[in-house]
Amino acid sequence: MVEDTMFSGESKNIEYKVSLPDKSEKYMKTIVAFANTQGGKLIVGVDDKTYQIVGVENDVLFQMMDGIANAVSDSCVPQIIPDIEPQTVDGKTVIVVSVEAGKNRPYYLKSKGKDNGTYIRVAGTSRQAFPEKIKELEMEGARISWDELTCVGYPVSEEATEKLCQDIEKFRKKAGMSEHSVKKEQLIN
């Protein structure tokens, strides 16, 4: 990420912390939210109100980085492996925690469980995911789209099947595609 966008304000992919909160859960929500959405960077050492770079003291830098790694490992399920590195900006050192968009969604806080510990990123905030969103994340994690789901218990009449075949034929004709009759057997296939 370009330095200009990294330090120009919080967004869907950027979160600032002037220092690490005493309770890691406060920033673990952000880590989980990044993994459940498009990824992002948690930057420690930047004031989230003024965007002023205050930095992290060098004598606690590596201890803090280890603490972040341990907190992520201990708190998040499935496992999230962030990239944690120091970066010098305007002569001050900040910690940049980069989280990729996860493939094994949903990610959640172990202590709260999937129903209460799943977070998503909305603009510059981390929000608890509603049950519908958790189901959507589960489908993404299983690599299933809504279109592939079987509609169980939904009766299909002969009339509806014929109408669908006619509608497909009309669409093909309107779209300038070759005329081709569509039959029930093709729909089943």
Side-chain angles (χ1 to χ4, degrees), residues 10 15-31 42-46 48-49 56 63-65 67-69 71-72 75 95 97:
E10 290 187 328
E15 174 82 14
Y16 298 142
K17 294 289 181 207
V18 70
S19 62
L20 284 182
D22 292 336
K23 292 186 117 189
S24 65
E25 187 177 290
K26 290 186 181 215
Y27 65 95
M28 283 304 113
K29 292 175 184 178
T30 301
I31 301 294
L42 171 70
I43 304 171
V44 182
V46 178
D48 63 337
K49 290 172 183 48
V56 175
Q63 180 183 350
M64 199 178 280
M65 289 170 59
I68 294 168
V72 172
S75 303
I95 299 172
V97 182

Side-chain angles (χ1 to χ4, degrees), residues 138-158:
E138 286 171 337
M139 289 178 60
E140 289 173 9
R143 289 150 191 79
I144 299 170
S145 73
W146 285 106
D147 295 342
E148 294 174 295
L149 293 178
T150 304
C151 214
V152 179
Y154 183 79
V156 179
S157 67
E158 281 296 321

Side-chain angles (χ1 to χ4, degrees), residues 1-3 5-7 13-18 20 27 30-31 34 39-46 53 55-56 61-62 64-66 68-69 72 81-89 92-100:
M1 204 175 239
V2 179
E3 193 173 295
T5 56
M6 223 163 48
F7 298 101
N13 306 92
I14 302 290
E15 174 82 14
Y16 298 142
K17 294 289 181 207
V18 70
L20 284 182
Y27 65 95
T30 301
I31 301 294
F34 284 153
K41 295 182 186 303
L42 171 70
I43 304 171
V44 182
V46 178
I53 299 167
V56 175
L61 178 69
F62 291 103
M64 199 178 280
M65 289 170 59
D66 287 346
I68 294 168
V72 172
I81 303 172
D83 184 27
I84 305 168
E85 59 188 8
Q87 186 171 334
T88 304
V89 183
K92 296 177 183 166
T93 305
V94 296
I95 299 172
V96 180
V97 182
S98 301
V99 178
E100 295 291 323

